[in-house]
Structures are given as structure tokens and as C-alpha cells.
Amino acid sequence: MSRRYPPEVHRQVVELARSGTKVSQLTEVFGVSQAAIYDWLKQERVDRGEIEGLSTDQALEQRPQIVDSTGETDRDSAETRFGRSSADSIHSGHGSRGAATIHN
């Protein structure tokens, strides 16, 4: 089961790991699994162009966009977590209350 962490925790963990803090220590302090931390570090390297792979921006562009009843999209949520600007992807609410609408 995947757990979401606030963007500030994500950024702080990545920053501390890159500065030399042991992943095992970060796991104990923040309660984030070692696998999640290594995934975050790898994705950050992809996003910085250090290694090949699908960047966060590319992944968000390729996914269908899901809009919930409040008008927040899954992209807005991901962009918030990863520190991306969500100004271009904010949409007004679609569908009935509690429903989600998929946009391409």
C-alpha cells in the first residue's frame, strides 16, 4: 500500500539523503520506508537529467487527468507533492458530487 507524504517531508528527506544522511536514519526519523526513499532519490536524479528515465513532468503529461468533485486534479496533487507549479492544470469542477472525470 502506497502512503503519501507532505511535499515538505519529501523534499527534506531527499535533501538530507543527498547531503550524506544515512537512509536507515531517515527511515527511523521520518517513518518512510527505505524503498520509498531510494525511489525518491532515483526520480530526483531523473528529473535533474543525471540518469535516463521518465521525468515527473513527462509522466504527468502522459497520464489521463482525473478531476474530482472539488475541481482538484490528480496532477495538481502530484505537482504539489513534487513542488511543480500547478497553475496550468487547474480546472473547474466536472461531474457530479463525489464523482471523478477523466480528461486527456
Side-chain angles (χ1 to χ4, degrees):
M1 177 178 202
S2 176
R3 179 173 171 202
R4 294 189 180 213
Y5 296 91
E8 58 274 3
V9 170
H10 182 110
R11 283 190 289 271
Q12 187 175 12
V13 168
V14 168
E15 183 179 310
L16 288 168
R18 285 183 59 85
S19 69
T21 303
K22 292 182 179 181
V23 171
S24 59
Q25 289 176 305
L26 296 170
T27 297
E28 290 178 27
V29 172
F30 291 95
V32 177
S33 72
Q34 287 187 10
I37 295 171
Y38 286 117
D39 286 345
W40 294 352
L41 290 167
K42 181 179 179 182
Q43 187 61 52
E44 194 234 0
R45 291 186 66 209
V46 169
D47 291 346
R48 292 168 52 110
E50 295 175 8
I51 61 174
E52 288 190 31
L54 191 64
S55 73
T56 301
D57 289 337
Q58 291 169 329
L60 289 172
E61 289 171 7
Q62 290 181 2
R63 285 183 25 196
Q65 185 171 342
I66 299 175
V67 180
D68 68 16
S69 62
T70 67
E72 182 174 278
T73 67
D74 61 333
R75 290 181 190 170
D76 295 334
S77 176
E79 289 166 350
T80 300
R81 284 185 313 175
F82 294 107
R84 307 279 185 243
S85 170
S86 60
D88 293 333
S89 62
I90 296 175
H91 297 277
S92 61
H94 294 83
S96 61
R97 184 172 181 85
T101 306
I102 297 177
H103 297 272
N104 286 322

